[in-house]
C-alpha cells in the first residue's frame, strides 16, 4: 500500500469504511440518496458547508481558506445495473446493482482529500469537492453544469480521476487532448411488409434488410474512415419477430458509435444516414434512423494536464506517470465539465496482477490499496495549484 505521511491513519481507515459502506449499498443514476447522505454527513463533520440538490442527488462541499484561486475536484457517486458475483464481506446488498466501475473508491478518495485539506488548510483560496450522480449513461455531469454548477461554485479549473485496474498500482496515466471518446447512440427502425414465412415473395423481409444493414454499417469504419482516424460502429441489439412462421413487419436495431474527433463524428453520422437510405431503396423498405449525440470526448487542456502530471510525479516519480497513452474508446461525462472549464482527467493504476477483473465485470471490486495514493494526489494537486497558506 502507498504510504504518504501526510494522509493520517485515521483518514486511511475512514476511506476504507466509506468505500465499503457505499459498495455494499449501491445506487444508480439520480437515485443516490443514501450515498449522497453519506458524503454530505462526512463533509459536514469536517466543518465544510455543503450544497445538495444539483442534478437531484449531487453534493458539493466547499473549503475556503482566505482569498485566492479556486479549483473543483470531481468524483462520481453512481453504481451500475448489474448483478455482483463477488463474495467479499462488503458485496452489494442490492439485487441487480453493483459498484462495478469504482465510483465508490473515487468518492472515498475525494472524501479523504477533503478530510486532510480541511484539517491542515495548506493553501490560500477555494476548493470545491464535487460529487456528481449519474455518470453511467445518464449524463449527471451535464445536468450539474446545466443547473449552474460553475455559476454557483466558481472554479478556475476542474479535475477528475478514474481507477485503471489494468494498469499497475503506483502508476498514473494521462494525455494532452482527447482522453476518451465521443459517445453517440442510435436506433434504426426497419419497416418492411409482413408475410407468411413460407411465402417471402409476398412481403418485404425486414429481417433480411436488417442483416444487410448490419453488414453495410461496418463498411463505414472499414472503407469510409481514414486508417489514422478512429471510429467504432457497433450494433448491440436486434429486435423483431414473434413466432416461427411469420416474417415481421418491423425490426429495430440499436447500438453505439464512438469517435475521437468531432469531424469524424459528423462524418460517421452522415454516412450512417446514407447507408440507411441506400439499403432501404435497394430492398423497397422504409428505414428510419434516430441518431442521438451523447457524451462529448474528454479533452484535457495542456496547462492543466501538466499540473496533473506534476502532482502525480511528486508522489510516484516521473517514470511512473505515463503521458503517451492512447485515447480510450470508452466515454465519460466529465467531458461536460471540461467544456465549461479548463482541466484534466487522469487515470490511477489499480492493478495487482494480470488476472484482475476489469471495470464493468461482475467480479470487479475497487482496490482499497490505492485509496491513500488517490487522496494524496488530490492533496498534491491542491497544494500545487493554490498558493501556500
Amino acid at each position: 500500500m502507498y504510504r504518504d505521511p501526510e494522509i493520517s491513519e485515521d483518514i486511511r481507515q475512514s476511506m476504507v469504511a466509506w468505500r465499503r459502506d457505499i459498495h455494499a449499498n449501491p445506487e444508480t443514476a439520480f437515485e443516490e440518496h443514501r450515498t449522497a447522505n453519506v458524503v454530505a454527513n462526512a463533509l459536514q463533520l469536517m466543518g465544510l458547508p455543503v450544497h445538495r440538490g444539483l442534478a437531484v442527488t449531487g453534493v458539493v462541499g466547499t473549503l475556503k481558506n482566505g482569498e485566492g484561486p479556486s479549483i473543483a475536484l470531481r468524483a462520481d457517486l453512481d453504481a451500475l445495473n448489474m448483478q455482483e458475483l463477488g463474495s467479499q464481506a462488503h458485496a452489494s446488498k442490492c439485487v441487480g446493482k453493483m459498484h462495478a466501475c469504482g465510483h465508490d473508491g473515487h468518492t472515498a478518495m475525494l472524501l479523504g482529500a477533503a478530510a486532510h485539506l480541511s484539517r491542515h488548510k495548506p493553501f490560500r483560496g477555494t476548493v470545491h469537492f464535487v460529487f456528481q450522480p449519474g455518470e453511467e449513461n445518464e449524463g449527471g455531469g451535464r445536468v450539474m453544469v446545466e443547473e449552474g454548477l460553475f455559476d454557483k461554485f466558481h472554479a478556475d479549473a476542474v479535475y477528475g480521476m478514474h481507477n485503471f485496474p489494468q494498469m499497475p498500482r503506483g502508476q498514473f496515466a494521462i494525455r494532452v487532448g482527447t482522453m476518451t471518446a465521443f459517445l453517440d447512440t442510435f436506433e434504426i427502425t426497419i419497416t418492411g411488409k409482413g408475410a407468411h414465412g413460407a411465402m417471402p415473395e409476398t412481403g418485404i423481409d425486414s429481417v433480411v434488410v436488417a442483416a444487410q444493414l448490419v453488414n453495410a454499417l461496418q463498411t463505414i469504419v472499414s472503407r469510409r474512415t481514414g486508417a489514422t482516424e478512429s471510429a467504432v460502429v457497433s450494433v448491440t441489439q436486434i429486435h423483431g419477430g414473434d413466432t416461427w412462421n411469420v416474417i415481421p413487419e418491423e425490426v429495430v436495431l440499436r447500438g453505439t458509435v464512438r469517435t475521437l474527433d468531432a469531424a469524424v463524428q459528423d462524418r460517421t453520422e452522415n454516412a450512417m444516414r446514407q447507408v440507411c437510405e441506400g439499403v432501404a431503396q435497394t430492398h423497397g423498405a422504409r428505414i428510419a434512423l434516430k441518431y442521438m449525440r451523447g457524451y462529448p470526448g474528454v479533452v484535457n487542456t495542456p496547462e492543466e494536464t501538466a499540473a496533473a502530471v506534476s502532482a502525480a510525479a511528486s508522489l510516484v516519480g516521473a517514470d511512473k506517470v505515463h503521458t503517451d497513452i492512447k485515447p480510450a474508446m470508452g466515454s465519460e461525462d466529465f467531458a461536460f465539465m471540461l467544456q465549461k472549464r479548463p482541466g484534466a482527467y487522469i487515470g490511477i493504476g489499480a492493478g495487482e496482477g494480470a488476472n484482475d477483473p476489469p471495470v464493468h465485470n461482475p467480479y470487479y471490486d475497487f482496490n482499497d490499496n490505492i485509496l491513500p495514493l488517490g487522496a494524496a494526489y488530490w492533496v498534491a494537486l491542491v497544494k500545487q495549484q493554490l498558493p501556500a497558506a
Side-chain angles (χ1 to χ4, degrees):
M1 180 181 287
Y2 172 82
R3 308 296 292 184
D4 188 299
E6 285 197 322
I7 306 299
S8 65
E9 186 59 33
D10 66 311
I11 292 177
R12 299 173 201 274
Q13 292 176 7
S14 293
M15 285 192 290
V16 173
W18 289 321
R19 206 284 294 180
R20 295 185 179 183
D21 175 66
I22 293 170
H23 187 95
N25 298 277
E27 296 170 305
T28 50
F30 305 116
E31 297 178 352
E32 308 96 331
H33 299 287
R34 183 188 184 280
T35 307
N37 285 337
V38 170
V39 169
N41 291 339
L43 293 171
Q44 287 169 341
L45 287 173
M46 298 171 200
L48 275 61
V50 174
H51 183 282
R52 301 185 60 172
L54 278 180
V56 186
T57 48
V59 179
V60 181
T62 298
L63 177 60
K64 183 176 176 65
N65 191 39
E67 298 303 317
S70 59
I71 63 173
L73 313 179
R74 171 269 199 179
D76 30 23
L77 299 171
D78 58 319
L80 282 155
N81 286 305
M82 58 184 293
Q83 183 63 40
E84 182 162 11
L85 298 181
S87 59
Q88 64 271 27
H90 56 271
S92 172
K93 300 176 183 177
C94 304
V95 176
K97 297 180 187 295
M98 75 167 287
H99 271 287
C101 201
H103 297 184
D104 49 344
H106 303 165
T107 294
M109 290 189 293
L110 190 54
L111 283 175
H116 176 90
L117 291 167
S118 62
R119 182 179 296 177
H120 299 285
K121 298 183 178 66
F123 63 90
R124 287 186 293 107
T126 301
V127 183
H128 300 297
F129 303 96
V130 179
F131 298 86
Q132 73 141 88
E135 189 280 324
E136 298 287 355
N137 302 314
E138 300 299 331
R142 172 183 55 78
V143 178
M144 290 193 88
V145 169
E146 290 176 348
E147 294 185 0
L149 173 64
F150 295 121
D151 298 323
K152 295 178 171 67
F153 307 97
H154 173 76
D156 299 310
V158 62
Y159 295 88
M161 178 165 54
H162 201 291
N163 77 102
F164 287 3
Q166 271 59 63
M167 184 170 67
R169 173 165 54 94
Q171 299 184 21
F172 288 86
I174 193 171
R175 59 177 281 123
V176 174
T178 302
M179 183 85 171
T180 69
F182 293 73
L183 161 64
D184 299 329
T185 55
F186 61 85
E187 180 177 277
I188 301 173
T189 302
I190 302 165
T191 305
K193 181 181 178 182
H196 195 294
M199 295 176 284
E201 73 279 5
T202 65
I204 297 173
D205 193 334
S206 58
V207 175
V208 170
V209 177
Q212 295 292 322
L213 183 57
V214 170
N215 285 330
L217 289 172
Q218 300 312 305
T219 66
I220 294 172
V221 175
S222 67
R223 288 298 177 266
R224 301 183 65 170
T225 304
T228 59
E229 297 174 324
S230 296
V232 175
V233 177
S234 294
V235 177
T236 58
Q237 299 180 42
I238 302 178
H239 302 276
D242 298 298
T243 192
W244 288 268
N245 61 346
V246 175
I247 292 172
E249 184 92 359
E250 183 177 283
V251 172
V252 175
L253 309 179
R254 298 190 183 99
T256 184
V257 174
R258 308 293 174 115
T259 53
L260 295 176
D261 178 89
V264 176
Q265 180 187 38
D266 291 340
R267 293 205 308 268
T268 301
E269 179 182 354
N270 291 335
M272 288 185 68
R273 296 193 183 281
Q274 292 173 357
V275 168
C276 287
E277 291 171 5
V279 172
Q281 186 173 9
T282 298
H283 293 276
R286 287 183 287 119
I287 300 179
L289 168 62
K290 182 179 180 182
Y291 192 97
M292 295 154 282
R293 296 289 177 109
Y295 294 178
V298 167
V299 181
N300 289 338
T301 49
E303 184 176 342
E304 286 67 32
T305 302
V309 169
S310 177
S314 73
L315 301 170
V316 298
D319 61 321
K320 297 295 197 306
V321 183
H322 307 288
T323 59
D324 57 352
I325 63 168
K326 296 179 180 179
M329 296 310 289
S331 300
E332 183 25 285
D333 77 343
F334 183 64
F336 292 104
M337 297 185 186
L338 288 176
Q339 287 185 327
K340 297 297 182 180
R341 293 293 185 274
Y345 181 79
I346 196 169
I348 180 172
E352 298 289 357
N355 296 320
D356 289 357
V359 296
H360 293 218
N361 179 283
Y363 292 98
Y364 168 87
D365 188 25
F366 186 88
N367 184 357
D368 286 338
N369 287 330
I370 72 168
L371 290 170
L373 179 58
Y377 166 77
W378 288 130
V379 170
L381 185 64
V382 169
K383 292 170 68 175
Q384 175 184 275
Q385 292 301 97
L386 303 183

